């Protein structure tokens, strides 16, 4: 089958690989109907050392079940399914608490930009959706694989509630869907920090009340100016770089929460008296592939109450996936849909 | 009046200073009935550069109001009062939310180991207690000035609730009262990390179910062994050194909270994918002098339901305060009461 491989920074190729196949009795094979390129795929696209061995790419997909292992009982051949970017058994102690990214037997998908994917722990991982392959809802359903549940996680971990003031750092797909999620949870003021007008316009459509294009100290000053000098109850950090963390520290209100969902590109950061401790600022967040989120949000996607699929602004064929990486890297596309 | 001054590491003296006096119409002067030496006073006791100018010390006291400014209306001469370690107006936007340590006009006390203290914003800061100067409850009332409300803050910010598993790092007065506070909020398992048996025995009396004397990786392994390999929902970090933070990261359960109340003796620390983010571990805490805590806990101190004053195991006169520092530094005393 055809699959996307990265051989090093800037070097993405689509090649033939062995077909996805059942290996464990709890596996399923899903034929990919839609996949996409993630902002986090751009980190290796910038930094991966060149090598002989290509690495399969992609962790977001929806599709149709082609085959199931002998111990799979909740899904069947022909089902249309959503796969979150992590797989899990949905029965271990962490899964039962709703923290499926910490499943004791789980892991993360790394082969979704392809014609088909082997899905471990299929009963736990896959969520059925009552749609056909030609549904107009496919882009929105695909956001349940990552960017919507990640934006929602940012808002939930940021304890956004009716009346909250919220800053969202980052105008990528996750940032924009963090705006949508904060709005959905009742935030009153949503300040979107981003500088690409097409994106921030979509952010306004999703519920942003203010847009701040400035960065660094200037950006912090703008957020404080918009919030009576105090900063916001929650800052949803949807980027992952240190300068975004520093802006979050500057923009958060005393006693508030910095909720991170951008994968941190740093390990150490300031958390002492002058940054978090003295002001009782809290820090939260992490990977957001929690199955309960999909179950909560799917009905609203199906009935059109939310339209997260609006973040997709380009579609490529599987063979054109490398062009999708380039478009996202050059910011000529916000989020690229891959149609095998 | 007599007051305690520090001139550098290890150099504490009791000397005559100008009497505490009203400076602002919102001030009160409180004659100190009991003060004490804090674990955090030991940080400058170890590290303060020697100088010509002594620096007054102390931030915990209870006493009797001697004089009030013209704009003070809620307290009067002769009232017995508890002063938290911060002062605040109790009317600003942060105070109204209960975060009195972030009062827009507030600050922290630094002159309590003395015969009297000038209290700014007296109406907001001081809490009346219906006791006399000879009450047997004085030691417990004094913990409402800092160590009890700080331990309580650790437990509240750690979201301790009925059924929680909790690790408390540190067997100082704050750690032991974090144990008491976690127990009071319904924690089911409380692992106290400490190596001084007199202290950990008191911790068991306050509700610790397990004691771990080991530190570092060994200590983490012990906590995990006691919790089915998972770590605890909350870790209450009551020390402030980097090695305590590292133990907290190791002992916390995925999805759990590290709640810090030990004043961090570091600014940067690991918070990336490998430490907090990948496991959705949250970080909380800060200064705990929130007035609502005193109002919540005072009735339980008054009716003897809790006995936090048991952390005091030595009493000195004001002139002997330097010996109190030495005793706490050498760990021959857990917490030293100062009786002017």
């Amino acid at each position: 089958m055809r699959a996307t491989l990265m051989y090093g920074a800037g070097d993405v190729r689509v090649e033939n690989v062995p077909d996805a196949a059942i290996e464990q009795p709890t596996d399923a094979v899903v034929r990919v109907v839609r996949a996409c390129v993630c902002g986090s795929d751009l980190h290796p696209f910038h930094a991966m050392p060149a090598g002989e061995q290509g690495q399969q790419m992609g962790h977001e997909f929806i599709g149709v079940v082609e085959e199931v292992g002998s111990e799979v009982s909740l899904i069947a051949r022909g089902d249309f399914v959503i796969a979150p970017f992590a797989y899990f058994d949905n029965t271990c102690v962490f899964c039962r608490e709703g923290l499926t990214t910490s499943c004791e037997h789980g892991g993360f998908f790394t082969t979704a930009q392809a014609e088909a994917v082997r899905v471990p722990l299929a009963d736990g991982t896959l969520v059925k959706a009552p749609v056909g392959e030609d549904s107009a809802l496919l882009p929105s359903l695909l956001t349940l694989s990552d960017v919507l549940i990640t934006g929602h996680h940012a808002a939930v971990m940021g304890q956004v509630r009716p009346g909250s003031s919220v800053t969202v750092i980052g105008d990528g797909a996750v940032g924009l869907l963090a705006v949508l999620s904060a709005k959905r949870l009742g935030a009153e003021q949503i300040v979107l920090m981003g500088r690409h007008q097409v994106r921030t316009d979509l952010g306004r459509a999703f519920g942003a009340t203010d847009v701040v294009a400035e960065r660094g100290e200037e950006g912090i000053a703008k957020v404080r100016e918009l919030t009576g000098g105090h900063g916001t109850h929650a800052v949803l950090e949807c980027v992952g770089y240190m300068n975004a963390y520093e802006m979050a520290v500057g923009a958060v209100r005393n006693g508030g929460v910095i909720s991170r969902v951008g994968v941190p590109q740093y390990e150490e950061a300031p958390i002492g008296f002058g940054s978090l401790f003295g002001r009782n600022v809290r820090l939260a967040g992490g990977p957001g592939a929690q199955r309960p989120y999909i179950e909560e949000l799917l009905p609203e996607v199906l009935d059109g109450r939310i339209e997260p699929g609006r973040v997709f602004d380009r579609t490529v064929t599987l063979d054109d996936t490398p062009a999708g990486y380039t478009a996202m890297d050059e910011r000529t596309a916000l989020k690229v849909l891959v149609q095998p």
Side-chain angles (χ1 to χ4, degrees), chain A:
Chain A
M1 66 175 188
R2 304 290 284 168
T4 306
L5 292 94
M6 190 179 287
Y7 282 82
D11 185 0
V12 178
R13 310 177 200 170
V14 177
E15 298 180 341
N16 290 320
V17 302
D19 284 355
I22 301 290
E23 293 175 14
Q24 300 289 329
T26 48
D27 287 353
V29 170
V30 172
R31 176 169 52 82
V32 175
V33 172
R34 293 289 186 282
C36 51
V37 182
C38 184
S40 67
D41 294 332
L42 297 180
H43 294 316
F45 190 71
H46 293 146
M48 184 175 162
E52 298 284 301
Q53 276 299 106
Q55 198 173 292
Q56 265 196 260
M57 295 296 296
H59 52 266
E60 301 158 280
F61 64 107
I62 52 179
V64 173
V65 177
E66 281 210 321
E67 200 183 344
V68 297
S70 58
E71 288 176 19
V72 173
S73 62
L74 301 177
I75 59 148
R77 186 189 170 91
D79 284 344
F80 193 97
V81 290
I82 298 159
F85 65 87
Y87 56 85
F88 34 77
D89 60 21
N90 206 27
T91 58
C92 81
V93 58
F94 290 106
C95 285
R96 286 198 307 270
E97 290 176 5
L99 193 67
T100 48
T101 53
S102 285
C103 175
E104 297 187 287
H105 308 104
F108 295 97
F109 285 105
T110 56
T111 64
Q113 291 159 4
E115 286 186 90
V117 178
R118 177 176 85 87
V119 177
L121 303 169
D123 273 347
T125 303
L126 297 171
V127 178
K128 282 192 271 191
V131 297
E133 287 185 50
D134 57 350
S135 168
L137 293 173
L138 296 187
S140 283
L141 291 168
L142 180 57
T143 67
L144 288 165
S145 187
D146 184 350
V147 283
L148 176 58
I149 56 177
T150 296
H152 178 68
H153 188 57
V156 169
M157 291 294 110
Q159 303 191 326
V160 175
R161 56 189 65 153
S164 292
S165 58
V166 178
T167 300
V168 175
I169 300 181
D171 58 10
V174 169
L176 298 181
L177 293 177
V179 169
L180 180 151
S181 300
K183 174 73 176 174
R184 182 178 166 278
L185 292 173
E188 198 170 285
Q189 183 177 25
I190 303 174
V191 182
L192 173 59
M193 300 189 81
R195 47 172 58 198
H196 298 86
Q197 208 195 322
V198 177
R199 300 179 177 199
T200 57
D201 283 351
L202 184 54
R204 286 188 193 273
F206 283 154
T209 54
D210 304 278
V211 169
V212 169
E214 291 83 354
R215 296 182 184 178
E217 289 303 322
E218 258 184 288
I220 292 168
K222 263 281 156 60
V223 174
R224 295 205 162 251
E225 197 183 304
L226 288 165
T227 54
H230 297 311
T232 54
H233 296 111
V235 177
L236 314 185
E237 199 285 82
C238 304
V239 176
Y241 289 116
M242 179 55 86
N243 60 0
Y245 176 75
E246 287 165 348
M247 282 198 287
V249 171
V252 70
R253 184 186 170 93
N254 289 7
V257 188
I258 296 170
S259 177
R260 297 180 297 165
V261 293
V263 181
Q265 302 301 302
Y266 52 83
E267 186 57 37
E268 304 240 331
I271 63 168
F273 199 95
S275 45
L276 305 188
F277 187 90
R279 300 192 290 139
N280 272 290
V281 168
R282 289 162 288 158
L283 184 63
Q290 317 310 342
R291 183 178 171 121
Y293 293 163
I294 304 181
E295 291 164 351
E296 178 182 349
L297 295 163
L298 177 58
E300 298 188 26
V301 169
L302 289 174
D303 72 12
R305 249 181 297 169
I306 54 175
E307 293 184 285
R310 292 173 68 184
V311 294
F312 291 104
D313 58 353
R314 180 158 325 168
T315 300
V316 296
T317 64
L318 181 57
D319 279 335
D320 281 337
T321 304
Y325 275 76
T326 305
M328 279 179 61
D329 186 44
E330 293 172 349
R331 293 178 183 268
T332 56
L334 167 53
K335 179 96 177 156
V336 174
L337 199 67
V338 176
Q339 183 167 355

